[in-house]
Amino acid sequence: MTTVSGVPAIAATAGSAVRTSPTGVPRLPGATVSRPRLLRALDEASGSPVVVVRGPAGCGKTVLLADWARRHRRDHERVLWLGLDAALDGVPAADRRRAFWAAVGLALRASGRSSSALARLLGDDLALAPSRPALVEAAAAPDQPLVLVLDDLDLLDDPAARADLEAVVGSGGRVRAVVATRSRSWLERGDVAAALDTVVVGPDALALTAAEAAVVVTGVLRRPVDASRVVALHAAVGGHAGAVVASARAVADRVDADRTLLVDRGGRSFEEALAACALDHVRASLARHLRGGPATEFVLRTSVVDSLPTALAARLADLPDADAAAAALERAAEDGLGAWRTESTGAHGEFAYYAAVREALRSELDARRPDDARTLRQGAVEWALEAERPMIAARAAAALLDMPLLSRVLQRSWPSFTLRHAAELVGVLGTLPSRRTARHPVVLAMTALAFSTVSMHHARVAQALEAAVAAVEERVGSVPAPDQAFLLAVEAQARRMLGDVARARAAAARAEVVLAGLSPAEREEMATVASFVHQQLGVTALLDDSPEDALRSFAAASGAASGPEHAAQRASSLAAGAFVHLWIGEVATGRALLAQVGDETAGPVALARAVLALEDFRPHEALRLVPDVEPLMASSEHWPIVLAVRASAMISLGQTAVAGHLVDLDAQAARWSVRSPTAGASSDLLATTRVRLMLAVGRVSRAEAELEHLPADDPAVVLRRGAAHLLRADARRAADTVSGALLAGVPDQRVRSQLLLLRAVAELRLDRAAAALATFTAVLDALAHTGLRTVLLTVPRDDLEQLVAAATASGDPRAEDMLGSGRSLASDLPADAIGSSLSEREAVVLRSLATERSLPSVAAELHVSVNTVKTQLRSVYRKLGVSGRREAVEAATQRGLIGG
């Protein structure tokens, strides 16, 4: 028999796991599962006068202490075991103090300690309990140190005996206590715990881990069982050892004789069979223990919610206050029905029944009083909304399958769900029948947002988004104006995530019209979601390439922030506005906005800080911040922006394998586009980022081919086209290209400054020194006004240094000051375009060098002579400026021509 515990309220029913005896460490069963982590915890607590091991019946307290006592070796301490169930059995209350110390004396003599001062004090036939000072004096005698292990401390209910024990272990003498108890003992409370420095090994620690549960099940079945196969069982009983044992025994009778552990005789999987056995066992145990009365009524009524703050438990059970509810929940914990989520049991404590217990109790309540069950869940929703506990409200409303109520819950606490709880909602919304949710856009939209945080649910997200859009179109005309604005913002977000920016912009425009017509009372009605609505309008405008509209919406979102998520909403909106300013080159304004954000670390904040780090020539910091932005990528269509920031940092750091980053960009794009397709400005940004990486490694031909598919009049596209001309050493075409765009007007300060700098370089190469200096001075004026700095890293370094030197010689030191630490970073464009000047055959020959293939092999592949390959190889060496094969491989790797 495999044993980890005794008989709990929901544990095995086959009898005690260890021999019951008043004295002597109990014998352990032969198949006991040792628990090293708890044994270590007991050893590490050996410096404390008191160690309390507390947990429900059946969680393994007695076996743990017996195992520890038999192993314990420390400073010659002698372990003295006393089982209080046997020592105090049948003893009248008035005689319990004497009986307790008499049992201690008996245990001392039985263990060979009859000569110790404490044993002599307690004598062979103790007629009266000794005085407390005498006990303290005896405990302080220079005898061998003693560890007094008290099992079932709950039974020591005599106040005087308790005070004696406190005095003995707290006197600084040579006696300490390790005790096991079901309930929270007086040794853990208030001044006593502080004075004794009590160490507690509580129910959370005593619960089996999934790995330990697998060991237990393996012992019962006598077949190896991996931890992954007992996850459902572990969750169902909260790791309660006795319940795991009982469930494993039950499933052992159901698996086939060959012990394949694949299915039981009912066709269920082994994992399902284990969880089902746990539920059957819990139901049987509850049937024995719940025999009516206030305790039964309490657990039935409070089982309707997954998480129980004491104030909610008091309301559901109609108790006078949270303290009364805490006491009732403490009894439930002692009975092994659930556990506190924190050690606090005060008004702010929170309790959860184990999953199998909760399911069994709910089934009982639904069967006995279905109307009461519904009324209780509705009451839980209302309480949770008042108490601003949105997840409790959402779970209760979902359990009711009341879609209008669930929609109200989700809409009212939308910021909390989107900012804090989206992933938690997967288990709540994912099980709702689609026929129930079909006409409820709020539920559908939140379902999409929740599932977008989880990998491998792309189809589910798209399906929910499409259904949400259809439901909005059906219902938006029949709801009050505040709800119209909210639903249209939801539609805009859903359409963006589906890649339909044009129709998202149309929905946003309708929302703006509705917002403009709201009365003060209607604005107040939608106060908790107003910030979300404005923020969605801002994001839609940004992806529609309307940054000024986006900035207005983000400013409105910041001002509208309210409710429990006020700080996070405001920070997110401020950061979004800061990002837009930074992105379009208004760095000083963006920096000032970001300074108002405070300590928030939400996705938009991290994104804005990453862009600012780039401007401050700190690409390592930008890369460090990128993982903080990933939650934003997971649930929205902003991922091309994040990839662009990452690419900028990689280029600035001068990574030798920039071409490899192009491959990585394409892989990331493939990954994220499945979740949220690109469209509009985000699609163009992704394409121009690819072009930027190509130009960084001199792949001009590929870059030019990409540019052919982008809007010809987009200033960012014109900028990349001009850079390609420059890399082809065609300065005149470069100058003409960027000058045309500048004449047409470029509102984006970043792109405008880059175009000006590119023109200055082209003019420098055309020997127009005066014109180049004048243009460069205009660049410096723009940078001084906006705070931009990374613009200086967008042209070849040699050209930039010539312009800086010319400006300095003319008496303008600003370029030197602005470049500063940026000199240690790489530029966007290489000094030449070796990649574009290689022929296709030369490129093949170059790649073959890295594979160490022979020249005849390369010649055979190209269907040319070996002499022709040698001629092409000499041309490659000349263009790379090297003289040998190894140097050529190193130079090509550094330029990104190999491996990409």
Side-chain angles (χ1 to χ4, degrees):
M1 179 180 72
T2 297
T3 302
V4 292
S5 58
V7 184
I10 60 167
T13 58
S16 179
V18 294
R19 176 178 62 84
T20 300
S21 172
T23 61
V25 179
R27 293 191 301 271
L28 294 173
T32 296
V33 176
S34 185
R35 306 178 72 182
R37 64 183 176 89
L38 296 181
L39 296 174
R40 285 194 301 272
L42 292 175
D43 285 338
E44 290 167 0
S46 60
S48 174
V50 177
V51 179
V52 175
V53 178
R54 172 168 52 80
C59 69
K61 302 184 298 297
T62 300
V63 170
L64 171 65
L65 290 186
D67 193 13
W68 175 79
R70 289 183 176 278
R71 298 167 182 262
H72 182 62
R73 297 289 186 273
R74 177 182 176 270
D75 298 335
H76 306 293
E77 275 186 333
R78 178 67 66 89
V79 174
L80 187 71
W81 183 282
L82 184 59
L84 296 181
D85 55 343
L88 300 179
D89 184 33
V91 176
D95 195 34
R96 290 207 163 196
R97 178 172 179 249
R98 183 206 61 80
F100 170 69
W101 286 113
V104 172
L106 177 63
L108 282 168
R109 290 188 295 277
S111 66
R113 294 286 305 278
S114 58
S115 62
S116 69
L118 188 59
R120 292 196 304 272
L121 174 67
L122 297 177
D124 290 335
D125 187 14
L126 190 65
L128 295 173
S131 70
R132 193 163 301 141
L135 287 168
V136 171
E137 181 180 356
D143 297 322
Q144 184 180 24
L146 178 67
V147 183
L148 184 58
V149 180
L150 302 177
D151 196 18
D152 292 316
L153 184 70
D154 312 75
L155 301 177
L156 187 63
D157 53 4
D158 183 89
R162 289 181 173 186
D164 290 344
L165 184 62
E166 289 174 35
V168 166
V169 299
S171 64
R174 299 170 68 79
V175 178
R176 65 189 186 94
V178 177
V179 306
T181 175
R182 286 179 56 185
S183 59
R184 195 177 302 268
S185 77
W186 85 96
L187 294 171
E188 301 176 56
R189 293 173 178 154
D191 294 342
V192 175
L196 297 179
D197 192 23
T198 303
V199 173
V200 179
V201 178
D204 289 346
L206 289 169
L208 295 175
T209 65
E212 289 169 340
V215 173
V216 171
V217 175
T218 293
V220 172
L221 297 179
R222 299 180 183 177
R223 297 281 294 179
V225 177
D226 187 77
S228 63
R229 306 193 71 187
V230 301
V231 171
L233 168 65
H234 181 263
V237 296
H240 189 283
V244 170
V245 171
S247 302
R249 288 176 183 166
V251 86
D253 296 333
R254 302 186 188 188
V255 296
D256 291 334
D258 64 2
R259 298 281 179 169
T260 59
L261 304 186
L262 295 177
V263 296
D264 70 354
R265 296 193 181 103
R268 296 177 297 190
S269 72
F270 173 70
E271 292 84 350
E272 292 172 337
L274 266 179
C277 286
L279 182 59
D280 290 345
H281 170 69
V282 167
R283 283 175 171 154
S285 297
L286 289 174
R288 291 192 299 273
H289 290 279
L290 300 182
R291 302 180 181 277
T296 297
E297 185 68 12
F298 175 84
V299 295
L300 286 174
R301 292 174 69 89
T302 55
S303 69
V304 297
V305 293
D306 293 1
S307 182
L308 267 172
T310 52
L312 174 57
R315 176 162 173 171
L316 292 173
D318 198 22
L319 294 178
D321 54 38
D323 289 340
L329 290 171
E330 185 73 4
R331 288 191 292 273
E334 293 168 10
D335 288 337
L337 302 181
W340 292 99
R341 292 191 170 180
T342 68
E343 280 298 295
S344 169
T345 59
H348 301 291
E350 200 157 307
F351 182 87
Y353 291 107
Y354 298 136
V357 173
R358 186 168 58 242
E359 184 176 348
L361 289 172
R362 287 177 181 176
S363 297
E364 183 73 11
L365 180 64
D366 289 337
R368 289 188 188 183
R369 304 195 302 271
D371 291 342
D372 284 357
R374 184 171 186 83
T375 300
L376 287 167
R377 290 187 178 105
Q378 289 171 337
V381 171
E382 297 305 324
W383 178 92
L385 288 177
E386 293 170 8
E388 296 178 348
R389 298 296 303 273
M391 282 305 303
I392 293 177
R395 288 191 176 100
L400 287 166
L401 292 179
D402 186 333
M403 294 305 107
L405 178 60
L406 180 57
S407 296
R408 181 165 73 90
V409 169
L410 294 176
Q411 182 170 335
R412 175 168 169 169
S413 300
W414 192 269
S416 293
F417 289 122
T418 55
L419 290 169
R420 312 286 184 198
H421 304 296
E424 292 179 68
L425 282 172
V426 170
V428 177
L429 304 180
T431 58
L432 295 175
S434 57
R435 58 185 176 79
R436 291 269 193 171
T437 62
R439 300 182 63 188
H440 299 278
V442 175
V443 177
L444 291 165
M446 186 56 75
T447 300
L449 291 176
F451 274 90
S452 70
T453 65
V454 183
S455 299
M456 308 305 294
H457 282 286
H458 318 311
R460 179 70 180 269
V461 171
Q463 181 183 28
L465 289 171
E466 290 167 356
V469 167
V472 169
E473 290 178 336
E474 177 184 349
R475 302 193 61 177
V476 71
S478 61
V479 298
D483 292 341
Q484 286 183 25
F486 175 77
L487 289 179
L488 289 168
V490 166
E491 179 186 355
Q493 183 180 31
R495 289 195 182 279
R496 289 197 322 267
M497 293 179 70
L498 289 168
D500 189 354
V501 174
R503 297 178 77 177
R505 188 63 163 139
R510 291 175 64 193
E512 288 172 343
V513 172
V514 174
L515 285 172
L518 291 179
S519 68
E522 288 172 326
R523 291 182 185 279
E524 180 64 26
E525 184 180 338
M526 67 172 297
T528 59
V529 296
S531 185
F532 161 79
V533 172
H534 286 295
Q535 196 157 23
Q536 293 310 311
L537 303 187
V539 175
T540 304
L542 182 62
L543 296 183
D544 193 41
D545 204 16
S546 302
E548 294 303 323
D549 291 343
L551 287 172
R552 281 193 292 273
S553 291
F554 290 141
S558 174
S562 65
E565 299 296 343
H566 165 267
Q569 284 183 299
R570 182 174 182 275
S572 180
S573 302
L574 284 171
F579 166 78
V580 176
H581 281 294
L582 292 165
W583 198 252
I584 64 177
E586 297 169 356
V587 176
T589 305
R591 190 188 300 275
L593 276 178
L594 201 51
Q596 301 177 43
V597 167
D599 296 329
E600 284 289 334
T601 58
V605 178
L607 181 59
R609 285 178 176 152
V611 177
L612 185 58
L614 290 176
E615 284 302 324
D616 290 339
F617 296 141
R618 294 183 291 118
H620 283 294
E621 175 67 8
L623 286 178
R624 187 192 67 79
L625 287 164
V626 163
D628 294 337
V629 188
E630 291 218 349
L632 189 69
M633 297 172 69
S635 60
S636 73
E637 67 289 359
H638 305 314
W639 57 267
I641 297 173
V642 182
L643 296 186
V645 170
R646 182 183 290 153
S648 295
M650 290 297 188
I651 293 172
S652 294
L653 289 171
Q655 302 288 341
T656 57
V658 175
H661 297 308
L662 178 60
V663 174
D664 179 64
L665 177 79
D666 289 341
Q668 291 289 328
R671 172 191 173 192
W672 293 108
S673 61
V674 173
R675 294 189 176 199
S676 180
T678 59
S682 64
S683 179
D684 293 344
L685 173 62
L686 183 63
T688 54
T689 300
R690 295 188 78 255
V691 170
R692 186 180 174 193
L693 285 168
M694 292 173 189
L695 293 175
V697 295
R699 295 185 174 180
V700 180
S701 297
R702 287 184 62 185
E704 289 174 331
E706 289 274 340
L707 288 168
E708 290 301 318
H709 302 290
L710 298 175
D713 58 348
D714 184 336
V717 174
V718 174
L719 173 66
R720 305 303 172 198
R721 188 173 290 115
H725 294 322
L726 194 68
L727 289 181
R728 286 197 179 278
D730 193 343
R732 187 173 302 280
R733 286 189 69 189
D736 291 344
T737 298
V738 299
S739 294
L742 289 167
L743 285 172
V746 181
D748 186 316
Q749 291 294 322
R750 182 182 297 276
V751 176
R752 183 177 182 279
S753 298
Q754 289 176 316
L755 288 167
L756 279 170
L757 183 57
L758 194 61
R759 185 169 74 179
V761 170
E763 290 168 338
L764 184 67
R765 292 190 181 186
L766 292 170
D767 295 325
R768 302 173 185 170
L773 180 57
T775 304
F776 188 55
T777 299
V779 172
L780 297 178
D781 291 340
L783 300 193
H785 175 70
T786 61
L788 278 164
R789 294 294 181 270
T790 51
V791 166
L792 296 172
L793 303 181
T794 59
V795 296
R797 180 55 53 83
D798 290 344
D799 297 292
L800 177 64
E801 293 293 357
Q802 291 182 57
L803 290 169
V804 171
T808 303
S810 71
D812 188 346
R814 292 180 299 172
E816 283 284 356
D817 295 338
M818 290 177 181
L819 187 54
S821 61
R823 272 201 168 88
S824 65
L825 303 177
S827 296
D828 275 23
L829 302 181
D832 53 49
I834 178 65
S836 64
S837 63
L838 290 176
S839 69
E840 289 296 324
R841 292 292 176 86
E842 288 171 344
V844 173
V845 170
L846 175 60
R847 287 193 293 271
S848 72
L849 296 180
T851 64
E852 299 185 356
R853 293 168 57 194
S854 66
L855 294 186
S857 172
V858 177
E861 179 185 337
L862 299 177
H863 303 290
V864 296
S865 69
V866 174
N867 285 335
T868 299
V869 173
K870 289 180 178 179
T871 299
Q872 292 166 340
L873 192 56
R874 285 193 294 272
S875 177
V876 169
Y877 289 169
R878 176 178 54 80
K879 292 180 178 180
L880 287 173
V882 299
S883 57
R885 182 171 188 153
R886 178 175 296 177
E887 290 177 323
V889 171
E890 290 176 355
T893 300
Q894 291 173 354
R895 294 169 185 265
L897 302 175
I898 292 178

